[in-house]
Amino acid sequence: MNNLTTLIKRLEAATSRLEDMVPTISDPSASSNTLASFPESGLTAPGAHAEDGPASSQTQLAMAPLPPAIDDFDALINGDVKTFVNMSEEIGGLVAEQSAAVLRAFAAERKFLIVTTKAKKPDIQSPVYMEVLKDLQSTMGVVNDIREANRASPLFGHLTTVSEGINVLTWVAIETKPVDTITEMLSSAQFWGNRVIKEYKEK
């Protein structure tokens, strides 16, 4: 349990750097060029020894190789997710704001996945388990909050499509047959997505 807690703290430091790639929403000069690729190396094992100091810690974080599953997840983020974010920034406004939250949610999921490769699963009712999920829940909440706060927006259909779709990231917390739940979530997102396509085809 102590190793898992230590790992979480290290992941918090690593993830803070990942969030730097999300353009500052309030900064009009931010562009898709500020999106950096996710790194190809990750964290040291919980039992690894390190010298005190942030520089040494960051060096060790950068040296440890990532599991293949994380490399695959990074490829997803650097491919489809980044394309979505870049296109959303071209639209701007609420769409860009929501896409930035989506990117942060994927970064939080990445952190969670790294934890699963480094430590045994704690009890799902434990504070440690809830701490690991905290960032993912928070960032997904932001995606939904943007939708809920803008129900009168002409872009509500788009915001809802993304809000429904982001729920697929919760598969990591589903104990049995997550694919069944994911299928339902994707169906809801597709329903709203089809409405958006139909709306813009008729304009």
Side-chain angles (χ1 to χ4, degrees):
M1 188 67 71
N2 288 336
N3 282 347
L4 181 55
T5 302
T6 300
L7 178 60
I8 292 171
K9 292 183 181 300
R10 290 176 178 175
L11 283 164
E12 293 286 355
T15 302
S16 66
R17 186 168 73 86
L18 296 178
E19 292 194 355
D20 288 343
M21 73 187 194
V22 181
T24 303
I25 296 170
S26 60
D27 182 1
S29 66
S31 69
S32 59
N33 293 331
T34 61
L35 290 173
S37 295
F38 272 65
E40 296 182 357
S41 58
L43 304 171
T44 54
H49 296 288
E51 298 177 4
D52 292 336
S56 175
S57 175
Q58 290 299 320
T59 299
Q60 292 217 4
L61 288 174
M63 290 177 61
L66 290 171
I70 305 302
D71 285 332
D72 290 342
F73 196 72
D74 286 349
L76 172 65
I77 296 175
N78 291 324
D80 292 340
V81 176
K82 182 179 287 188
T83 297
F84 163 74
V85 172
N86 289 341
M87 294 179 70
S88 296
E89 288 182 348
E90 292 179 8
I91 298 173
L94 291 171
V95 172
E97 181 181 350
Q98 190 183 50
S99 74
V102 167
L103 187 57
R104 287 193 292 269
F106 271 87
E109 177 114 314
R110 182 183 190 272
K111 182 177 72 173
F112 182 93
L113 292 174
I114 292 178
V115 169
T116 67
T117 69
K118 300 289 185 178
K120 292 182 179 180
K121 179 181 176 181
D123 186 281
I124 61 174
Q125 302 297 327
S126 71
V128 172
Y129 185 74
M130 298 309 299
E131 179 68 19
V132 175
L133 284 175
K134 181 181 67 175
D135 286 350
L136 178 59
Q137 292 173 330
S138 175
T139 51
M140 287 178 59
V142 172
V143 174
N144 186 62
D145 289 345
I146 293 172
R147 185 267 301 267
E148 291 299 324
N150 295 280
R151 285 185 167 271
S153 170
L155 295 171
F156 178 73
H158 180 101
L159 300 177
T160 300
T161 301
V162 177
S163 181
E164 293 293 326
I166 198 66
N167 289 326
V168 299
L169 294 183
T170 61
W171 72 268
V172 294
I174 299 173
E175 290 291 309
T176 58
K177 295 184 178 180
V179 67
D180 293 339
T181 304
I182 290 174
T183 299
E184 294 179 8
M185 294 173 179
L186 288 177
S187 294
S188 179
Q190 186 173 26
F191 168 79
W192 282 95
N194 288 338
R195 289 185 59 173
V196 172
I197 292 173
K198 183 175 183 295
E199 175 186 352
Y200 280 87
K201 274 186 176 180
E202 295 174 350
K203 288 187 175 181

